[in-house]
Amino acid sequence: MDSDVWSEFYRKRVGDPSEQVRQLRALIVGRQVLVIGAIRQEVLTGWRYPHQFEQVREQMPAFPNEVLTEREYELAAEFSNTCRRHGIQGSHTDFLLCACSAAWDVPILTRDQDYLRYAEHVPMRLSAP
């Protein structure tokens, strides 16, 4: 699950939630949420007030970190290199999510359109909207 969905989940106060946030809520109810440390860091970054940070940090243990191994990190580097050869750049965290998706056979829930470009070149899965 990408941090953009978490950000909307925690921060959006007006209007209807996106389809991805509705999916996140269903995953939470079904206890099917997977989180990696890099996403946890992104979710906890950027809060203006300490009480907001603390509130989110207190909720995050409900979603324990999945353990990553050398396999996921090496696959992330391979995916980054593959995409770069095709003129596509992305962040280390993006490619780490792609690697986890491929290694664990789980889809990524995201609103970030960059993942559509990655999926053209690496064997990761996206959650259907």
Side-chain angles (χ1 to χ4, degrees):
M1 172 133 8
D2 198 10
S3 59
D4 62 342
V5 179
W6 284 109
S7 181
E8 180 187 347
F9 176 77
Y10 281 118
R11 295 170 197 241
K12 187 171 183 177
R13 300 291 177 234
V14 296
D16 293 331
S18 67
E19 176 59 31
Q20 290 84 357
V21 167
R22 287 193 290 275
Q23 287 179 10
L24 172 57
R25 288 179 179 154
L27 291 169
I28 290 170
V29 169
R31 298 177 188 239
Q32 297 176 307
V33 175
L34 298 178
V35 175
I36 63 172
I39 296 302
R40 181 179 306 276
Q41 179 182 354
E42 287 185 5
V43 170
L44 291 171
T45 298
W47 293 98
R48 184 173 183 168
Y49 301 106
H51 74 276
Q52 294 170 316
F53 169 83
E54 289 300 330
Q55 189 174 37
V56 174
R57 181 167 64 172
E58 288 173 8
Q59 295 172 6
M60 289 302 290
F63 316 106
N65 282 349
E66 293 297 312
V67 177
L68 288 100
T69 67
E70 292 84 6
R71 175 183 178 206
E72 288 83 24
Y73 291 106
E74 290 171 358
L75 194 55
E78 179 182 334
F79 286 177
S80 177
N81 293 339
T82 297
C83 285
R84 184 174 276 237
R85 279 194 302 276
H86 289 92
I88 300 168
Q89 298 213 19
S91 73
H92 296 298
T93 302
D94 285 0
F95 289 115
L96 191 54
L97 279 179
C98 292
C100 292
S101 171
W104 303 338
D105 193 29
V106 296
I108 299 170
L109 181 59
T110 185
R111 295 179 47 171
D112 186 341
Q113 297 298 304
D114 288 341
Y115 286 90
L116 294 173
R117 294 183 302 135
Y118 308 150
E120 294 175 8
H121 304 284
V122 299
M124 43 79 68
R125 293 188 325 155
L126 291 172
S127 182

